[in-house]
Structure formats: structure tokens, C-alpha cells
Amino acid sequence: MSEEKASKFNFDSAKRYMQEKAIVQAMNYLEGDPENNIPKIVKMFQKLTPVPLHREFAGNIQGFYEDYPAIRTYINSIFTEIDRDVRNKMVTNFLLNSLALSSARRQQVQDEEGIHVPYTFLIDPTSACNLKCTGCWAGEYTKHDQMEPELFDRILTEAKELGIYAVVISGGEPFVYPYLLDMIEKHNDMVFMIYTNGTRIDDEVADRLKALGNVSPTISLEGWEEETDARRGKGTFQKVIAAMNRLKQRGVFFGTSLTITRNNVDKLMSDEFLDFLIDQGVKYVWSFHYVPIGRQPDTDLMILPEQRAYLSERVNYLRFNKPLPIMDFWNDGAYTEGCIAGGKCFFHINARGDVEPCAFAHFSVDNIREKSFKEVISSPLFTAYQKGQPFSDNMLCPCPIIDQPEALRRIVKETGAHPTHEGADSVLTGELASFLDQRSADWKAAADPIWASRQKAQ
């Protein structure tokens, strides 16, 4: 390293260290009186971040905090229910490393090399799982694929070099991967979210998660015990609740992932169930509509257009009336300007190394074992995806699988992308494809007046 580069590195390291200290001190100060001091932390973040959108986001949080009691209760709970060290590590890595500082590096790569760098990516270090859930989206991947720790390490290192400090991990079941927590510890400047079935989170794992601080488990549920055990196996629900209790007792920041089907939509979005999650210590919810891919696709499980319309209104209501953030993956296209896959905001690397547009579009042209991180994010498949986004003017119809199926067919044909497991291409032709064509048309008929009404109200 040259003397000039060494000097800059030392200066940047010292600057980051001082910023981290400032955030930690501010967070500790907030513990005493968050209601009066939230505006102060918002102003500090707005000074730290160079991105106007982030400053606007922080200002919106302050407005919501002041205007909505449920949101105020939720934010206050971060200071009363989450362990101090966990909270400080998570907030520092997220606000400083992932948002405030790394965005400049991603923009630099865009400006200098013409490569769009997404904010995050989803990676499966293993395809192995200790459960066999009905309709699992990953159920048709081969079960023996596992990343060498050296490969996993390389991927994370190259991601940081491009300005990506937030990573989502899935599988398979991530907690059966023997190197998982060691790798998270090695990359302790990143923030990780892990989709998990929760059954492997015992006392030892929960203690380790608390000690690490930079990782948030997201535990899958289908509803109450009857619904969860019916899909995931007898006894799973009780194991999940035991895991949540361990995490809550230790002050770990964790959430839940809910698969919405036509059979459970009312239960999952009921006051009773959401209040139960809040009592369990859940701090966020990811809502995923069932997509007929993976193990034994079942179109009867897909939510109906009228149910999806209900969700589009119900979730918006809940966000301001429950102290629990809910992300509705398909109905939130208005906030993300349509589909976020294909490297626009994220992409998926499966355990074999195939690089896919998202967790539900199982097609690829590259394998991370053969190319660098920078090469795979500039692939023709991702270029075609980003060229087509948004796939609809109606942001309630963002998805090229269930909302705009013709878009996925066009992209696969144009790029020569291959299916990454047997049966993945059933969404392109045949009976399933015909069903998706009809279902997408039915949803568009329901969604267009909703979208038009929202546009008119703005």
C-alpha cells in the first residue's frame, strides 16, 4: 500500500471509528428519555448521511413517531426490550455502514464502471434442511449443496468492496450450515438477516446471536399451531415459540416470515395473531404471498384477487395502528418502484452458486464459483431485468412471475437463462403458465381501480 493510500485508509478508519462512537453514545443517551431525544438522533443521522433520500427517510420517521402512538410505542421498545449491545451493533452497522457510508461506494462503482450495485443480496450457504415443508420454494434444489467457507467468505468480501454491507441468508436451513455464525462474526461490520425455521435456535445458538449483535433471525410461521404444524411438521410450532422466548429473554432483535395463502390470510392479519407476535417479542414481519414454485406447486394455495386487495388496505392500516412493522413483499411495489429483483435492489445466490434474479425466479446464466461478484451483477440476465423494470405502470402488479408472467418469459428467452432445478421452467409454459396468465389478469382487473384511486388521492 502506498504512503498516500495508507494515509487515506487511516483517516477513513479514524473517521468511521468516531462516527460509530457518536452513534453508540447517542443510542445510550436515548435509553433514558427516547420520547424527547428521538428528534436529536434523527438530526444526527441527517448530518451523517450524504444521501438526500436517507435524510428524507429519517425525517419521515420523526414525523411518524410524533403523530402515531403505535409507531412511537414500537420505537421506544427498541430501547426497552432489545439488549443494549445488540441494539448498538445492529443500528451502527445498519445506519452507518449499510446506509450512510456504503452508498457512496456503490455510486462510485456506478459512475466509474457503469455497473449498478444493489443494496443487498440473498445467499444460501446450504441447501440442506432439517424439515420438509409442503410447497417449499426451495424444495426442488438438490439437498447436498453446500458452500465452502472460503467461497462464502470471498462473496462477502467482494460484496463489501462494492459497498454492500447488508446481507440476507436463507437455505435450506441456514442454522445447519456449520460455518454460519463464524462467518457472521468474521464480517462483524456487516448486518445480516437470516430466514430460518427456528427449530435449531437452542440456548447455545441464542447466546451466540446475542454476543454477535449484527444478525437478526427471521422465523417462519404459517399461523397458529394447527396451520404451522400442518405445513412444517408436528411439533414445529412449539419449537418456534421456544426459540422466540430464548431470543426475547436475551434481547435479540428478531422477526417473523409469514407465508400468506388463501387459507390463512384472515388469521395471519388478525388483531389476535399480530398481538400474539408482539407479545412474543417479534420486531418485524415479512409477508410473502404463496408462489407456486419449488416442491409440488399448488395453485390452490395462492391468494385470490379479492384477498390480495384486502391485504393492500389491511396492511397499510396495521402499519399505523400496531407497534409492529409489516412488509408486504408483493403489495409494496409503490414504495420500491416495482419489482426489486434482478440486481435492482437484490438478487439470489443459491447453495450451488447459481446466481438468480430472486428467490422465486429460478433461472440463471452465471455461477459465482466461476466469476467474481462484480461480474455476476452485471450479467445479461440482470441487465434485461433492469431494462424492463418496472414491469407495469401499476405498482400493485410488480412481479414478473405472478403479475406480469410474459415479462419473465421474454427475459429468459432473450438471455438464454437456464432453469436451476428440474421443473423451474413450469412457470413459463404449460398448465401452470396458463393459470398464472389468468390469475395475473384477474388481479390486474382488481388492482387497477385501487391504484387509480391512490394516484388520484396524491
Side-chain angles (χ1 to χ4, degrees):
M1 183 182 295
S2 67
E3 183 176 342
E4 180 181 355
K5 287 185 177 180
S7 177
K8 184 178 186 304
F9 175 80
N10 291 333
F11 174 78
D12 289 343
S13 297
K15 181 180 178 182
R16 183 182 293 251
Y17 174 80
M18 295 303 295
Q19 289 171 328
E20 288 178 357
K21 286 295 184 182
I23 289 179
V24 169
Q25 290 175 359
M27 296 298 290
N28 291 343
Y29 177 70
L30 279 175
E31 279 183 343
D33 189 7
E35 295 210 19
N36 288 323
N37 292 325
I38 287 291
K40 296 179 182 179
I41 195 73
V42 171
K43 289 179 181 178
M44 183 192 74
F45 174 72
Q46 289 175 318
K47 289 181 180 179
L48 283 176
T49 180
V51 183
L53 181 62
H54 295 166
R55 290 195 292 271
E56 180 183 354
F57 176 73
N60 289 336
I61 290 179
Q62 181 177 340
F64 292 149
Y65 182 86
E66 294 172 348
D67 296 339
Y68 295 95
I71 295 177
R72 184 161 59 249
T73 296
Y74 173 78
I75 294 178
N76 289 349
S77 74
I78 303 300
F79 299 96
T80 60
E81 299 177 12
I82 303 302
D83 176 79
R84 171 187 277 197
D85 292 338
V86 170
R87 182 199 65 215
N88 290 348
K89 184 67 174 178
M90 188 70 67
V91 170
T92 298
N93 283 11
F94 177 69
L95 289 183
L96 185 60
N97 296 349
S98 184
L99 285 182
L101 299 181
S102 62
S103 59
R105 173 56 182 158
R106 296 196 298 273
Q107 187 60 51
Q108 180 185 20
V109 175
Q110 173 82 36
D111 294 341
E112 294 180 357
E113 303 184 48
I115 299 173
H116 174 72
V117 182
Y119 167 74
T120 187
F121 64 99
L122 174 69
I123 185 168
D124 306 342
T126 181
S127 61
C129 187
N130 60 317
L131 300 183
K132 192 173 182 179
C133 304
T134 303
C136 175
W137 64 268
E140 289 302 309
Y141 291 130
T142 54
K143 299 301 177 290
H144 57 270
D145 292 320
Q146 179 171 287
M147 289 187 177
E148 305 86 349
E150 295 80 10
L151 175 61
F152 196 12
D153 183 38
R154 172 175 74 81
I155 292 170
L156 296 178
T157 299
E158 291 183 2
K160 286 193 290 187
E161 290 171 354
L162 297 176
I164 301 176
Y165 279 78
V167 179
V168 183
I169 299 175
S170 63
E173 169 49 48
F175 283 99
V176 306
Y177 182 66
Y179 314 103
L180 178 68
L181 297 183
D182 290 340
M183 201 61 60
I184 289 173
E185 182 175 16
K186 180 176 182 178
H187 293 271
N188 67 352
D189 53 350
M190 304 182 86
V191 61
F192 295 88
M193 185 177 75
I194 302 177
Y195 286 116
T196 172
N197 60 44
T199 62
R200 300 294 291 259
I201 301 178
D202 55 18
D203 286 330
E204 181 180 354
V205 171
D207 286 340
R208 187 83 185 277
L209 292 171
K210 176 184 177 181
L212 289 169
N214 63 330
V215 54
S216 178
T218 304
I219 304 176
S220 298
L221 279 174
E222 314 303 318
W224 300 105
E225 186 165 16
E226 179 182 356
E227 294 84 12
T228 298
D229 285 4
R231 188 180 186 203
R232 298 183 173 272
K234 186 174 178 58
T236 301
F237 183 82
Q238 291 302 326
K239 291 179 181 178
V240 166
I241 299 309
M244 288 183 171
N245 288 337
R246 293 186 183 101
L247 296 173
K248 181 181 180 180
Q249 290 168 5
R250 290 162 175 78
V252 175
F253 185 79
F254 71 96
T256 188
S257 170
L258 306 178
T259 301
I260 307 287
T261 72
R262 67 186 296 179
N263 301 323
N264 68 8
V265 56
D266 292 330
K267 290 182 180 180
L268 290 180
M269 291 296 118
S270 68
D271 289 333
E272 181 185 11
F273 186 72
L274 294 172
D275 289 343
F276 166 77
L277 294 180
I278 294 168
D279 290 341
Q280 292 299 124
V282 171
K283 290 302 176 190
Y284 57 89
V285 171
W286 280 104
S287 166
F288 290 95
H289 306 179
Y290 173 78
V291 177
I293 60 166
R295 180 180 295 124
Q296 298 177 337
D298 185 355
T299 56
D300 286 340
L301 291 177
M302 291 185 70
I303 61 173
L304 301 172
E306 55 267 29
Q307 292 175 318
R308 188 167 169 182
Y310 161 77
L311 279 178
S312 72
E313 300 300 328
R314 174 65 174 167
V315 171
N316 282 337
Y317 170 82
L318 291 169
R319 285 173 176 152
F320 296 102
N321 292 277
K322 293 286 183 186
L324 182 65
I326 302 174
M327 283 68 72
D328 187 349
F329 200 78
W330 281 269
N331 280 350
D332 280 346
Y335 303 112
T336 58
E337 297 183 347
C339 172
I340 64 174
K344 174 186 173 183
C345 298
F346 94 109
F347 64 97
H348 180 223
I349 304 175
N350 68 26
R352 193 168 57 189
D354 296 319
V355 181
E356 303 171 334
C358 84
F360 303 98
H362 297 174
F363 299 90
S364 180
V365 297
D366 288 320
N367 191 290
I368 196 71
R369 294 179 180 276
E370 303 162 356
K371 295 186 176 182
S372 69
F373 196 99
K374 184 184 293 186
E375 288 175 313
V376 300
I377 64 172
S378 56
S379 74
L381 178 59
F382 288 2
T383 299
Y385 245 80
Q386 292 166 34
K387 182 180 178 181
Q389 291 163 328
F391 297 110
S392 172
D393 293 334
N394 182 340
M395 298 304 168
L396 292 173
C397 305
C399 179
I401 303 174
I402 64 172
D403 297 327
Q404 307 292 329
E406 184 56 39
L408 181 61
R409 295 170 196 149
R410 182 178 66 251
I411 291 171
V412 170
K413 181 179 180 180
E414 174 185 328
T415 61
H418 61 84
T420 54
H421 61 75
E422 185 177 354
D425 52 353
S426 63
V427 297
L428 303 180
T429 60
E431 185 178 347
L432 178 56
S434 296
F435 176 89
L436 292 174
D437 284 338
Q438 185 59 57
R439 178 54 59 87
S440 63
D442 292 343
W443 168 238
K444 187 176 188 303
D448 279 349
I450 299 173
W451 181 248
S453 176
R454 291 185 181 181
Q455 295 300 101
K456 187 177 180 179
Q458 291 181 354

